[in-house]
Amino acid sequence: MGEPSAGGVPVAALKRHAELAELVEEARWRYYVLDQPTVSDAEFDGWFNELLALEKAHPSLQTPDSPTQKVGAPVSGDFAKVQHLARMESLDNAFDADDMAAWQARAARLAEGDPGPYLVELKIDGLAVALVYRDGKLERGATRGDGRTGDDVTPNVRTIKGVPHRLRGDDVPSLVEVRGEVYIPVDDFTKLNEQLVEQGKAPFANPRNSAAGTLRQKDPRITAQRPLRMIVHGVGVWEGATAPRAQSEVYDRLGEFGLPVSDLYKVVGSLDEINEFIEHYRVHRHDPPYEIDGVVVKVDDFRTQRELGSTSRAPRWAIAYKYPPEEVNTKLLDIQVGVGRTGRVTPFAVMEPVVVAGSTVERATLHNAAIVVKKGVLIGDMVVLRKAGDVIPEIVGPVVAMRDGSEREFVMPTHCPECGTELAYEKEGDADLRCPNARGCPAQIRERIYFAARRTALDITGLGYVAATALTQPLPPQQPAVRTEADLFDLTLEQLIPIKSVVRDKDTGLPKIDPRTGEEKVVSFFSNVNGQASQNALTLLQELEEAKQRPLWQVLVALSIRHIGPPTARVLAGQMRSMDAIMNASEEELAAVEGIGPRVAATIREWFAVDWHREIIERWRAAGVRMADEPAPEKGPQTLQGLTFVVTGTLDGFTRDSAAEVLTSRGGKVAGSVSKKTSFVVVGENAGSKYDKAVSLGVPILDEQGFRVLLEDGPEAASAVAVTPDKE
């Protein structure tokens, strides 16, 4: 027998279609009307796309009542209803290059030729609003609603900074309806949520939600106190003045009228250029001051737009390319604390595992107890989790609408969870509690050992986080092979082979749980199944031997002295040349070293004044660790004297270390961060936030070829080939 059906549609398909339609309608109501979204954009898109697929397979399911044929959601009952002068449509979505190519091919087929040029712009994640100006005067502001009828929010719109109450210019239309997005800038959103929590009110889940909730305040005075902004991106009606002929011309005209328009758009002529724009903002997604979730592509010419027309819900001449979601909803199961190498005790969220930005996440930092309070999250909450590319996952806030009363507040512990020492603030006014047991706390030792093995310290690849945990926190009855850094270079195979340990998360320091057993994961890292030394053990001992010959600056970094990172360690080692010279230098002598200063000098003296710190130096010295560099070579031409550089990304002909060495050998200073005082930023492949900072500050940027010009011909020649962002 075949599958049961009704009217030719399988019963299972009918049932799933009805279920999805109900889910989509409920989600829309909560998102557009209540401003209390309970599902993430990714989950909603999944439901909606499944509905589209069902209707494509079974066309009879596509009725006028289907959510796929509607725009937005019903209007709320809290505001007067107004009819839009022209229907406000939604946009179809593209999720990859194939979708974009299919849209462009379909538009070309309908237009009987290439419909370009195209206008590409950022898709702001805000609230769609239509403004009506009659004889240049703002008459009405309304939300999109269901596309035909919206909520009248005119008093609130009038409070938005940048929205003119009267248009300026000589050629103003007698009647114009403009469309745009109302949003709250990202930085202002964070401040707003903190204020709400301080006032005992529920925080917003995301910037879009905060903009929608603010615009729907019944009291415009409240709206006026919040940082709403608007960007206008379209026109529904235009009467009584010279009409623009293209979308790009509209932006010029609207800007002349005094309306807020974006300059982050581009007119392009091909699909390749569209894709280039999309890829650029995929990488620079967080450069704009507002949240974006994709790029909108429009046929620029209005006559071609009219030829292409619209479906029941969306124009055929435009499409939204949506980036992979960076926000999802998940359950906050618990808040635990981890201890870092400086003793800082950090709360971490433990969540139901969820995929976001291409990776599975189940832990996220909450920084300190004050941040937990500011975010307004409770254990048991459904929370909004954000992960932007490679950025550490962050909880944005709770989904308050889904609370059922079982949630509970987090209470910061009073004692270290790893060694039991009473926690304390290092000094008055600190935000972070710390464990003061620096010498004996196994968590701090673990973190310092792992830090000492980093590439910019002793560069021991075999001493990863699992190995550091095994050495410092083995399972009983084994005793730690490393009780302080002093033990590191005295390790033997006999010590390593019997060790078993719990696997810990390197971002949080918390034990990992085996999903199959529900127990903590345990490994025998340094031995094989036959109880013999594993390759891990042999590799570690070999690399420890090699690490004894690292230059002095790397040894300094490995000691975890506060404020002594690679740039400062290079300068200190370069001038002092030996560990003894540094240990015996006075605070005044240290402060006289370029880039050190009184505060760092005091920190260095404090560190070396501790007995067990000096024991580390002497034990390492006895084991053969290099404690002095060769005498400083005679200085060559100091062509870079007085200039400061930052090196970021991957260069073909230099490592970052060798690039730094060649710069300092010519008198230059290499810094770890970009500031207005930076002379040049040397940029390789996969440069990250330092490149972005250089762009924002207008610091000259050199690629590898420009870097070679700098070394060979000096700074003047380099300036001629550098890219200076504010002059582009």
Side-chain angles (χ1 to χ4, degrees):
M1 292 180 64
E3 185 178 359
S5 65
V9 179
V11 170
L14 281 169
K15 184 177 179 182
R16 181 58 177 163
H17 186 273
E19 178 184 358
L20 288 168
E22 184 175 348
L23 289 170
V24 167
E25 294 286 24
E26 172 69 13
R28 278 178 167 170
W29 175 260
R30 287 186 171 275
Y31 186 90
Y32 289 108
V33 178
L34 301 182
D35 300 319
Q36 296 177 347
T38 54
V39 299
S40 65
D41 287 352
E43 194 170 4
F44 179 85
D45 286 342
W47 292 341
F48 195 82
N49 289 334
E50 189 179 348
L51 263 181
L52 289 173
L54 280 171
E55 292 178 1
K56 184 176 181 181
H58 309 289
S60 63
L61 294 176
Q62 191 184 87
T63 66
D65 289 335
S66 170
T68 65
Q69 305 305 299
K70 298 177 182 178
V71 174
V75 293
S76 74
D78 295 332
F79 295 88
K81 310 301 176 289
V82 292
Q83 295 288 320
H84 295 301
L85 302 184
R87 184 165 66 105
M88 293 182 71
E89 299 174 313
S90 186
L91 289 173
D92 288 332
N93 294 325
F95 296 96
D96 55 34
D98 288 343
D99 289 346
M100 283 303 309
W103 171 80
Q104 196 263 357
R106 187 165 56 250
R109 186 172 62 253
L110 292 171
E112 298 181 352
D114 188 346
Y118 307 91
L119 184 140
V120 284
E121 62 188 353
L122 303 183
K123 185 176 182 294
I124 302 171
D125 193 10
L127 180 71
V129 170
L131 308 181
V132 176
Y133 286 85
R134 194 179 299 274
D135 297 324
K137 184 179 179 182
L138 178 61
E139 181 178 87
R140 189 179 75 202
T143 64
R144 181 173 64 177
D146 62 7
R148 298 185 183 278
T149 303
D151 290 331
D152 188 340
V153 290
T154 306
N156 291 346
V157 165
R158 291 181 183 277
T159 71
I160 299 176
K161 184 177 180 180
V163 172
H165 293 189
R166 182 176 290 278
L167 302 181
R168 63 172 183 247
D170 298 327
D171 194 24
V172 172
S174 58
L175 177 66
V176 63
E177 182 192 55
V178 297
R179 282 87 181 272
E181 296 290 322
V182 171
Y183 66 93
I184 287 182
V186 175
D187 290 345
D188 291 326
F189 163 71
T190 302
K191 296 174 186 175
L192 174 60
N193 261 1
E194 290 175 1
Q195 292 169 1
L196 290 173
V197 172
E198 287 173 3
Q199 296 165 9
K201 299 176 182 178
F204 290 111
N206 52 51
R208 189 266 168 207
N209 179 229
S210 66
T214 297
L215 194 63
R216 289 199 175 96
Q217 288 290 327
K218 293 181 180 179
D219 186 349
R221 290 173 297 182
I222 297 176
T223 306
Q225 295 169 7
R226 295 183 181 173
L228 284 183
R229 299 292 184 271
M230 182 176 183
I231 285 182
V232 175
H233 55 57
V235 171
V237 171
W238 183 294
E239 295 178 3
T242 306
R245 292 173 295 182
Q247 183 75 30
S248 51
E249 187 182 336
V250 163
Y251 290 171
D252 293 337
R253 297 285 297 280
L254 295 182
E256 291 169 1
F257 296 160
L259 285 159
V261 293
S262 172
D263 58 356
L264 300 180
Y265 71 88
K266 191 174 184 181
V267 178
V268 301
S270 69
L271 183 60
D272 286 344
E273 291 177 283
I274 291 173
N275 289 331
E276 285 175 12
F277 187 91
I278 289 169
E279 289 308 308
H280 175 81
Y281 278 102
R282 189 193 304 274
V283 175
H284 297 279
R285 181 170 177 173
H286 302 285
D287 288 1
Y290 39 77
E291 293 279 5
I292 67 170
D293 57 1
V295 167
V296 176
V297 183
K298 302 174 181 176
V299 172
D300 193 39
D301 180 70
F302 282 159
R303 184 174 64 178
T304 308
Q305 287 186 11
R306 289 191 292 271
E307 290 175 359
L308 292 172
S310 301
T311 66
S312 61
R313 63 178 295 275
R316 296 188 181 94
W317 46 266
I319 194 166
Y321 185 102
K322 297 194 75 172
Y323 292 133
E326 295 185 323
E327 288 186 358
V328 296
N329 292 357
T330 188
K331 186 86 166 179
L332 176 59
L333 302 175
D334 197 7
I335 298 178
Q336 300 175 5
V337 297
V339 183
R341 73 185 169 97
T342 64
R344 179 185 175 194
V345 179
T346 304
F348 286 94
V350 180
M351 300 163 293
E352 288 184 352
V354 63
V355 176
V356 56
S359 60
T360 299
V361 175
E362 53 187 323
R363 305 277 171 88
T365 181
L366 286 165
H367 303 289
N368 56 53
I371 294 296
V372 178
V373 173
K374 282 184 178 180
K375 288 183 179 291
V377 293
L378 304 175
I379 297 170
D381 266 336
M382 183 66 72
V383 294
V384 178
L385 176 70
R386 178 179 179 81
K387 183 175 184 289
D390 294 328
V391 176
I392 296 171
E394 174 194 13
I395 286 180
V396 179
V399 183
V400 176
M402 296 192 71
R403 285 180 175 166
D404 60 13
S406 64
E407 299 80 15
R408 68 186 193 278
E409 290 186 5
F410 164 70
V411 178
M412 192 73 177
T414 58
H415 290 73
C416 177
E418 303 256 10
C419 71
T421 303
E422 186 174 0
L423 303 179
Y425 294 106
E426 191 171 57
K427 58 182 182 294
E428 188 176 347
D430 278 359
D432 301 315
L433 280 169
R434 295 181 187 271
C435 170
N437 182 21
R439 183 176 190 177
C441 178
Q444 294 183 59
I445 300 167
R446 176 190 71 229
E447 298 299 322
R448 293 200 304 267
I449 292 296
Y450 175 59
F451 179 84
R454 292 173 58 177
R455 184 178 60 81
T456 52
L458 295 175
D459 194 13
I460 307 170
T461 57
L463 186 49
Y465 204 75
V466 174
T469 302
L471 293 174
T472 58
Q473 294 175 288
L475 290 175
Q478 285 297 310
Q479 296 298 308
V482 173
R483 287 183 169 84
T484 76
E485 294 92 318
D487 297 327
L488 187 59
F489 288 97
D490 295 331
L491 289 170
T492 65
L493 274 182
E494 290 71 27
Q495 287 176 293
L496 298 179
I497 289 173
I499 292 176
K500 291 184 178 181
S501 67
V502 171
V503 179
R504 290 176 175 263
D505 185 295
K506 69 181 180 65
D507 293 324
T508 66
L510 301 177
K512 287 191 173 183
I513 305 300
D514 189 328
R516 297 169 299 175
T517 65
E519 304 288 332
E520 294 178 346
K521 288 185 178 180
V522 175
V523 292
S524 299
F525 189 71
F526 296 117
S527 61
N528 57 31
V529 292
N530 299 318
Q532 299 172 322
S534 67
Q535 187 60 48
N536 292 328
L538 299 174
T539 297
L540 174 59
L541 294 180
Q542 178 184 341
E543 290 184 345
L544 282 169
E545 193 63 32
E546 294 169 356
K548 294 176 181 179
Q549 298 307 310
R550 300 287 183 247
L552 178 61
W553 74 264
Q554 289 182 258
V555 178
L556 285 170
V557 173
L559 293 173
S560 281
I561 304 172
R562 190 83 64 88
H563 308 308
I564 305 299
T568 306
R570 287 178 193 279
V571 173
L572 192 59
Q575 185 154 332
M576 295 294 203
R577 311 305 298 175
S578 75
M579 189 69 74
D580 288 337
I582 296 168
M583 280 198 299
N584 297 323
S586 68
E587 196 169 312
E588 291 73 20
E589 289 172 323
L590 290 168
V593 175
E594 183 184 0
I596 298 298
R599 185 168 69 99
V600 177
T603 300
I604 295 171
R605 291 302 316 139
E606 288 170 8
W607 193 90
F608 281 107
V610 176
D611 289 345
W612 66 272
H613 288 168
R614 297 178 79 97
E615 180 190 347
I616 296 171
I617 302 297
E618 298 312 319
R619 290 270 302 278
W620 283 13
R621 191 197 306 271
V625 175
R626 182 171 145 188
M627 290 291 162
D629 285 341
E630 298 296 326
E634 288 190 19
K635 290 184 178 180
Q638 300 294 283
T639 56
L640 306 181
Q641 188 73 41
L643 301 181
T644 301
F645 301 87
V646 171
V647 182
T648 183
T650 304
L651 302 169
D652 289 335
F654 302 84
T655 64
R656 283 197 211 175
D657 292 342
S658 66
E661 286 171 10
V662 75
L663 289 167
T664 54
S665 72
R666 287 165 167 77
K669 177 183 174 183
V670 179
S673 59
V674 181
S675 72
K676 291 181 179 179
K677 296 181 179 180
T678 305
S679 307
F680 293 93
V681 174
V682 180
V683 173
E685 292 293 323
N686 300 316
S689 59
K690 292 176 184 177
Y691 169 83
D692 296 336
K693 187 69 176 291
V695 170
S696 67
L697 294 178
V699 175
I701 296 169
L702 294 172
D703 60 12
E704 185 159 355
Q705 183 177 353
F707 180 50
R708 293 182 185 279
V709 171
L710 172 78
L711 300 179
E712 294 173 10
D713 302 321
E716 285 190 18
S719 294
V721 299
V723 174
T724 304
D726 61 353
K727 295 180 181 178
E728 283 188 319

